[in-house]
Amino acid sequence: MNELPSQGKSNGFLEGLIELFAGFEDYRSPYAPTIQPPEEILNELVQNASFKSGLISATCSLPPGPLGILSILPELLMVYRIQGHLIMDIAALYGKEVQVTKELLLYCLFKHGGAHVFRKIIEESSFKILIRPTTVRVFQTVLEKLGIMISKSIIRKQFARWVPIGGAVVTGTFAYYDTKRVGKTAMELFSKEIHSDEIREMLESQ
């Protein structure tokens, strides 16, 4: 019984996340590619984004009880917006902004919590990233699996909303380190060669 509301909220969040990705298509990073992205610039980007995420999450968690619960979805979307822009900025520094797809964005956002979800569409090795073509059904399956992960996150945040101050510290700290992990994933990913497997998949299907 308790999981049904959270599942509904996660579905609503996924709809908001899809709209958020549509907005990313219009985002243009202010950073230009360099031969070798300076580590200090990348680290500064990740640090600033992590601080913003933590501050937003902690602030949204301050109102206790029902009022705080209403802020969960807006908080998540704001944090993912910051993380999405971070991914785009890192890709731009590596000269790969045009190669960023919705699959790669999702991969960077959620790999550290569910790499297995992307097994059918993204293959990562030490030197390259292979992106397989996705059908609507495959992508929907990925979103459904992410929905389960998001439901668990929403449930944790619901409990935190009932703990004044302490809950805000916990959620802020989690958002901070979560953004750190997203930045690390993006740096590791865009430092590699990115290949598409569309041609091979088309030949195999004939």
Side-chain angles (χ1 to χ4, degrees):
M1 295 289 293
N2 293 334
E3 293 184 1
L4 292 177
S6 295
Q7 183 65 44
K9 290 177 182 178
S10 69
N11 290 337
F13 169 74
L14 283 175
E15 293 175 0
L17 189 60
I18 292 173
E19 293 179 3
L20 188 62
F21 280 125
F24 285 148
E25 295 178 357
D26 299 324
Y27 177 74
R28 294 296 178 267
S29 174
Y31 296 93
T34 59
I35 296 176
Q36 182 63 38
E39 184 175 345
E40 59 270 19
I41 295 180
L42 291 170
N43 290 335
E44 183 179 357
L45 280 175
V46 174
Q47 181 64 29
N48 290 341
S50 300
F51 179 77
K52 289 179 183 178
S53 296
L55 182 61
I56 286 175
S57 184
T59 302
C60 290
S61 300
L62 285 175
L67 184 60
I69 290 176
L70 290 175
S71 69
I72 290 177
L73 296 186
E75 171 205 334
L76 286 171
L77 290 174
M78 285 189 287
V79 169
Y80 284 125
R81 181 183 298 277
I82 292 172
Q83 293 178 347
H85 288 173
L86 172 63
I87 294 167
M88 298 289 287
D89 289 340
I90 292 174
L93 281 169
Y94 280 103
K96 297 176 181 176
E97 187 175 9
V98 296
Q99 293 181 274
V100 179
T101 63
K102 61 182 182 297
E103 289 86 2
L104 285 182
L105 275 169
L106 285 171
Y107 186 66
C108 288
L109 287 171
F110 297 105
K111 177 196 172 185
H112 56 276
H116 62 283
V117 173
F118 303 92
R119 193 170 297 150
K120 291 185 177 180
I121 61 177
I122 294 178
E123 181 180 333
E124 183 174 4
S125 66
S126 301
F127 302 102
K128 69 177 182 179
I129 300 292
L130 181 63
I131 308 173
R132 298 187 177 92
T134 57
T135 62
V136 173
R137 179 178 298 179
V138 170
F139 192 70
Q140 182 63 36
T141 299
V142 170
L143 290 180
E144 289 173 356
K145 291 180 179 179
L146 291 178
I148 297 174
M149 294 172 51
I150 293 166
S151 294
K152 295 178 181 178
S153 176
I154 291 175
I155 291 172
R156 288 196 299 267
K157 288 180 178 293
Q158 286 177 337
F159 283 117
R161 291 306 199 261
W162 294 96
V163 183
I165 308 300
V169 173
V170 171
T171 57
T173 300
F174 179 83
Y176 176 88
Y177 285 106
D178 185 69
T179 304
K180 283 267 191 180
R181 288 190 289 267
V182 169
K184 180 181 178 182
T185 297
M187 286 189 286
E188 291 175 349
L189 188 151
F190 292 111
S191 66
K192 302 175 182 179
E193 294 183 11
I194 300 177
H195 299 277
S196 174
D197 202 28
E198 288 188 10
I199 296 178
R200 193 183 76 179
E201 289 289 328
M202 289 175 60
L203 292 174
E204 291 180 351
S205 63
Q206 293 178 351

